[in-house]
Amino acid sequence: MGLEFGVEVFQNEYLPQGAGQVDAIVTVTAGGTGAPGREVEPAAAAEVVVIDTSGSMDYPPTKLAAAKRATAAAVDALRDGVRFAVVAGTDTARVVYPNGPGMEVAGPATRAAAKKAVNRLHADGGTAMGQWLLLADRLFAGQDAELRHAILLTDGENQHETPERLTEVLEHVAGGFTCDCRGVGTNWRVAELRRISEALLGSVDIVADPADLAEDFRSMAVAAMGKAVADVSLRLWTPEHAEVRFLKQAAPTLVDLTGWRVESAPRVGDYPTGAWAAGESRDYHLCVRVRPAGVGDRMLASRVSLVDPAGAVLGQGRVLAVWTDDVALSTRINAEVAQHTGQAELASAIREGLEARRAGDAERATARLGRAVRLAHETGNTDTARLLAGVVEVQDAPTGTVRLRRQVADADEMTLDTRSTVTRRIGRA
Amino acid sequence: MTMDSGLRDSCPECAAPVAPQDRFCEACGRNLRVQRTPVGGPVTARCACGGAEFDGEGFCARCGRARVAVRDRVEFVLPGVAGVSDRGRRRQRNEDSMAFGRVRGRGVAVVVCDGVASSERAEQASQTAVDTAVDVLLTGLQSGADAEAATADAVTAANGAVARLARPEAAEVAPSCTFVSAVVTDDSATVGWVGDSRAYLVAGTGAARLTTDDTWAAQLVAEGVLTEEEALTDRRAHVLSRWLGADAGAVEPQSVTFMVETPGLLVLCSDGLWNYVPEPEDLLAVLPRGVPPVEVARGLVDVALEAGGHDNITVVVIQLRGGNGS
Ligand SMILES: [Zn+2]
Ligand SMILES: [Zn+2]
């Protein structure tokens, strides 16, 4: 199985004399867009659905009922032959399906049996998500499937486990599988689920209305089934005396990968990107600090490669630095870099604004959320602008003049918080 | 690989031992029948950081800096052929390029191109042209192709490659260059040209010019409008009537083929040399004698430098064996 990856680099490679910071947007696109004769065979897959069955799922009871329907929808979306299991999570975790050890092969009979087992679930107990993830990890460890994906649903805070314990678990299971996280209702913590989803290279979102859960689960399972290649790493070569200041996934969502670097050779570091579907495209913002060379010198600031677990290179691009005394060249701002820099600032302005608001610091909240309104306007991020309007009253978007709303629905605030990392690409020809 | 050969040699790429009949180095895969000057032209062997390892795109494996071209003064030497290219004393850059190669048992191919100073990125034009053309000529030598046909193919390929360097919005300064080539085997030689770079044959006590300049002045001399003397000082003396580049259209070289019966030298040069020694007898008068080709080329470049070095100077000298070789 081989997908080829296209790597495109957007940057202004010209630097003024003495400058050493190189910014680039690296667009990675997995090949095989389904052109005739070029369809990509799906890889062997395993799926675990983890649903919260803590006592609170019964308040209101529609939550547990919706979680059951959603799990059924996800199970129905699995391809025949995919290995799967369903886990119920409380302050411990147990396998709901299958009855025996390991996982079961998806087919008409096993799907029906799984749904029957899920329907018998009832809500009782606490919440310790680390336990849930450890059980999922053990289930995956018994499989040799290339693609290993989990869906995790919760409605509450991780009360029966310390944050330190969760950190330990995340370090232990990272790389074992990818996990999309969903919070139903408004009593869960955005920061907590984001930590899990980022460590496991998945998405995080709020499903405020339980009625929307089934469709959401179905589409997550469909997306997981569409992945063609797993465990792809982004490999950065940088020259001697250079330092990767950061590597962030910049689109479709903002994820900081800087801390996940694994040294694979001198001056070479690998960053996990998870699984890719044919035709999927993501942007990465790379910032490298190099030792400045002389005017007229040209330097390879980074070679960006996509590599599979065996180390085979699936695609490659290069980030350059050229020193010039031509100010017209060095002051040009690359549109892609500006767009993603603006969106990263937008996300942090939203997070800081919401934090200040929760802490009762109205002045800072107004300033940061006002800045966010202005950036959303400038970067053309209309979805975020709409969500911001649920939290602040916008008086003038171009200047970011806002007033905090007195009454803000929890769901509105949490939706803004979770979706603050969803970014938009600028239109490219 | 046989182990009994007394004629053991070493691979020019990796120094692994190779036998004379080997076509490829078993250690690194290098084609041993073909030796040629570096693609992309002269580059430094070491990076400014001290590193000597470069990736396929010419970036230093240690500090990332691009390998730099050192064009001010270039010398290339292969068995039986050598070239010297010099920036001269007045020009900012050396926009001349040369490339040559040798196919064992078959012959030698040489290309010299002079970047047109009024066009942009002239050195890129000439470098691209020599790299492209010498590839075609060496392939032709390996396959035993007709030398005149290979020369025409080389010009077409080089013209296309140079044309692709042009920016559509700046057609009036499209990168362009002249062209002169030689394909030499044991018993014959073919010279092809476009523009005013020249080839001279020196044998025994005589010398002859093999090319006619593609300039407006030369054309007027041929039509009887100007005399040779008038043409030299005419303002159109260096205005090309044919060249390689996006604004040149389809180009066919002029060419001449002759049998090599006696030992001698074939000299290919840019106008940076022949401006000072235009007539064959002028060249003969200053030509160093009894020295290897590289000394001949150096001596001729020195003549041009001492006379003022107003332009870039490139000279390639090919040893002609004559008859069945020796
Ligand atoms: Zn070798
Ligand atoms: Zn170096």
Side-chain angles (χ1 to χ4, degrees), chain B residues 113-135:
Chain B
C113 293
D114 176 352
V116 174
S118 58
S119 72
E120 65 175 3
R121 288 173 286 136
E123 63 178 51
Q124 206 185 341
S126 64
Q127 187 65 52
T128 302
V130 298
D131 283 338
T132 307
V134 90
D135 270 353

Side-chain angles (χ1 to χ4, degrees), chain A residues 237 239-240 298 300 303 318, chain B residues 55 57 61-66:
Chain A
W237 175 92
E240 197 173 58
R298 202 159 156 264
L300 182 64
R303 187 178 291 290
R318 60 186 191 195
Chain B
D55 70 12
E57 292 171 306
R62 191 200 284 177
C63 80
R65 251 172 293 187

Side-chain angles (χ1 to χ4, degrees), chain A residues 220-244:
Chain A
M220 276 189 282
V222 166
M225 294 298 102
K227 299 291 183 186
V229 53
D231 300 321
V232 174
S233 293
L234 210 150
R235 174 168 292 173
L236 297 183
W237 175 92
T238 44
E240 197 173 58
H241 308 301
E243 172 208 2
V244 175

Side-chain angles (χ1 to χ4, degrees), chain B residues 10-18 24-32:
Chain B
S10 63
C11 168
E13 192 72 42
C14 72
V18 291
F24 295 93
C25 168
E26 294 193 0
C28 74
R30 183 193 156 118
N31 184 338
L32 295 171

Side-chain angles (χ1 to χ4, degrees), chain A residues 4-335:
Chain A
E4 277 191 14
F5 286 74
V7 180
E8 250 185 306
V9 176
F10 299 88
Q11 66 165 148
N12 175 16
E13 66 261 43
Y14 293 102
L15 299 176
Q17 189 171 6
Q21 182 171 313
V22 184
D23 280 278
I25 299 300
V26 180
T27 296
V28 178
T29 304
T33 47
R38 289 214 49 207
E39 284 97 2
V40 179
E41 280 279 307
E47 181 79 30
V48 174
V49 182
V50 183
I51 55 171
D52 187 341
T53 56
S54 64
S56 60
M57 286 292 283
D58 255 346
Y59 301 93
T62 47
K63 270 197 286 192
L64 186 62
K68 289 176 179 178
R69 278 197 305 277
T71 303
V75 167
D76 280 337
L78 301 177
R79 251 195 335 265
D80 280 354
V82 168
R83 305 270 166 169
F84 78 106
V86 180
V87 167
T90 55
D91 42 333
T92 63
R94 70 179 182 90
V95 180
V96 178
Y97 185 85
N99 263 328
M103 296 202 193
E104 190 55 87
V105 179
T110 54
R111 284 196 200 94
K115 288 187 271 186
K116 212 168 183 180
V118 168
N119 269 329
R120 286 195 294 266
L121 286 173
H122 54 91
D124 186 20
T127 304
M129 295 180 213
Q131 296 300 307
W132 314 354
L133 295 170
L134 283 173
L135 178 56
D137 189 53
R138 280 199 296 279
L139 287 165
F140 283 118
Q143 301 297 322
D144 54 8
E146 208 184 307
L147 293 159
R148 301 166 310 279
H149 178 255
I151 295 172
L152 182 149
L153 174 76
T154 187
D155 77 328
E157 293 180 35
N158 200 34
Q159 283 169 327
H160 297 89
E161 190 172 64
T162 62
E164 294 74 26
R165 176 62 186 150
L166 181 59
T167 303
E168 276 171 30
V169 169
L170 287 177
E171 276 167 12
H172 177 73
V173 304
F177 58 100
T178 60
C179 183
D180 288 316
C181 300
R182 292 296 181 267
V184 62
T186 55
N187 295 319
W188 54 281
R189 294 273 308 280
V190 176
E192 215 160 64
L193 275 203
R194 179 175 285 134
R195 264 181 74 203
I196 299 172
S197 70
E198 286 192 352
L200 299 175
L201 304 168
S203 63
V204 59
D205 204 0
I206 178 171
V207 184
D209 183 350
D212 299 330
L213 209 52
E215 175 50 31
D216 192 35
F217 268 45
R218 195 194 62 79
S219 62
M220 276 189 282
V222 166
M225 294 298 102
K227 299 291 183 186
V229 53
D231 300 321
V232 174
S233 293
L234 210 150
R235 174 168 292 173
L236 297 183
W237 175 92
T238 44
E240 197 173 58
H241 308 301
E243 172 208 2
V244 175
R245 282 197 57 222
F246 61 77
L247 176 72
K248 292 171 181 170
Q249 181 183 295
T253 59
L254 212 58
V255 184
D256 193 342
L257 299 175
T258 316
W260 294 102
R261 179 183 176 103
V262 175
E263 301 293 323
S264 59
R267 303 191 280 280
V268 179
D270 291 354
Y271 301 79
T273 69
W276 291 70
E280 188 174 352
S281 184
R282 304 180 198 167
D283 287 354
Y284 296 89
H285 184 170
L286 171 61
C287 181
V288 183
R289 184 171 289 286
V290 297
R291 181 176 282 188
V295 166
D297 277 341
R298 202 159 156 264
M299 181 187 280
L300 182 64
S302 182
R303 187 178 291 290
V304 181
S305 312
L306 276 296
V307 293
D308 73 8
V313 175
L314 310 170
Q316 211 164 58
R318 60 186 191 195
V319 176
L320 296 176
V322 180
W323 284 268
T324 179
D325 46 19
D326 184 342
V327 180
L329 287 177
S330 60
T331 53
R332 270 200 312 225
I333 291 168
N334 178 273

